Amino acid sequence: MPHGWEWGPPKRLLEVAGLSQGSCPQRDRWPNMKSSPSIQAAIYLAAGAAGGTVCVLTGQPFDTIKVKMQTFPSLYKCLTDCFLKTYSQVGFLGFYKGTGPALMAYVSQSSVLFMCYGFCQQFVRKVAGLDTQTELSDLQTAAAGSLASGFAALALCPTELVKCQLQTMHEMEMSGKIAKSRKTIWWVVKNILIKDGPLGFYHGLSTTLIQEIPGYFFYFGGYELSRTFFASGRSKDELGPVPLMLSGGTAGICLWFVIFPVDCIQSRIQVLSIHGKQAGFVGTLLSVVRNKGILALYSGMKATLIRAIPSNAALFLGYGYSRKMMMSKLEAY
């Protein structure tokens, strides 16, 4: 464990949940908690999983529409057209295709992201010549989040690949790229392993890194700047749930405005890899612009921005309240 770290409620995780160490009624008892460090770590993991779960369930229908429009822009005129056609073709449950991998993707990404975030904060402090307990500025916080996202991309890429292929299975069958049959998560996983081996799960990794590293700089930066704005000179730890939800929505919008064209390329690479080896990032980008026009890179953006606000609000609230509940139950024994 790095010097200066100790078990107890990590300051960053409390901030993300809209809490401060001073607002935690168990603060003075943390060093003497009856639970072991492993139990405390499990609580943070479970709370992150809860936040990730409500985030995915809230935003999954819009994510499905986004991936469909990104990969097959010529099939859908607009968000409403994609929604109506998807509903008529595969029903309401079709909007939740790939939910299992999406849950795995988001939970695993969030776990790795926040696990690495603390180490990256210490790294930023060292580079900036700051003491280990010094509060980082909003810009430095954004830099730490950006670095952590590079590690999180390694956990995200394989599950994101499976999710995107499941979401667009109907379009792949209709276009004749794959044979019509019942496609399950196991079918997709087995197909990837047979065709490309274990490394096949990392189709689009370079594109994922290209979008995640700058994207999460703006995500964490947007979140912290929004909290600073709503605090208006007060401590950001005093903010209530509504400003935190709005800050989370702002962070999501900042993220997607920056990464959306790259995310479009990533979706095409990952979805179409089921049909055969795809060109890299530059080759796919040039192909899309040449054949579909530059606006094709923004297909599905409206659905994504609509999804960003409630899904990120759900993430922050789900994490904060589930963590508080588990901590209070633990202290009751």
Side-chain angles (χ1 to χ4, degrees), residues 6-9 26-37 40 327 330-331 333:
E6 60 182 4
W7 282 103
Q26 294 91 1
R27 178 190 179 191
D28 294 334
R29 287 184 284 165
W30 274 108
N32 301 312
M33 278 190 67
K34 293 169 285 188
S35 61
S36 66
Q40 294 177 42
M327 288 298 184
L330 186 64
E331 285 295 281
Y333 291 101

Side-chain angles (χ1 to χ4, degrees), residues 11 20 61 69 80 175 257 265:
K11 185 173 184 182
S20 68
M69 294 182 70
T80 304
S175 63
F257 260 124
I265 300 302

Side-chain angles (χ1 to χ4, degrees), residues 5-17 19-21 30 40-41 44 114 117-118 121 319 323 327:
W5 282 48
E6 60 182 4
W7 282 103
K11 185 173 184 182
R12 175 59 193 162
L13 291 181
L14 288 170
E15 289 178 348
V16 169
L19 304 170
S20 68
Q21 291 179 333
W30 274 108
Q40 294 177 42
Y44 298 129
F114 286 107
Y117 183 77
Q121 280 185 312
Y319 174 83
R323 189 200 63 79
M327 288 298 184

Side-chain angles (χ1 to χ4, degrees), residues 119-177:
F119 293 100
C120 291
Q121 280 185 312
Q122 295 295 355
F123 176 76
V124 170
R125 287 189 178 95
K126 182 174 289 188
V127 171
L130 302 175
D131 183 78
T132 56
Q133 301 303 318
T134 302
E135 185 76 15
L136 294 177
S137 68
D138 292 345
L139 184 63
Q140 291 167 334
T141 297
S146 177
L147 291 173
S149 70
F151 298 98
L154 298 175
L156 174 67
C157 190
T159 45
E160 182 77 6
L161 173 68
V162 176
K163 174 188 76 73
C164 288
Q165 290 192 2
L166 283 170
Q167 287 175 319
T168 56
M169 201 61 69
H170 179 78
E171 286 78 6
M172 293 292 287
E173 292 175 348
M174 294 297 293
S175 63
K177 295 184 184 297

Side-chain angles (χ1 to χ4, degrees), residues 93-110:
L93 291 180
F95 293 105
Y96 284 89
K97 283 278 189 180
T99 298
L103 287 170
M104 293 174 59
Y106 203 87
V107 170
S108 60
Q109 181 199 28
S110 297

Side-chain angles (χ1 to χ4, degrees), residues 64-65 68-69 72-92 94-95 170-171 174:
T64 297
I65 291 173
K68 287 175 178 285
M69 294 182 70
F72 299 95
S74 59
L75 292 182
Y76 305 107
K77 299 176 184 177
C78 60
L79 185 153
T80 304
D81 182 54
C82 184
F83 177 88
L84 294 175
K85 285 182 177 178
T86 300
Y87 182 78
S88 65
Q89 291 163 354
V90 292
F92 180 75
F95 293 105
H170 179 78
E171 286 78 6
M174 294 297 293

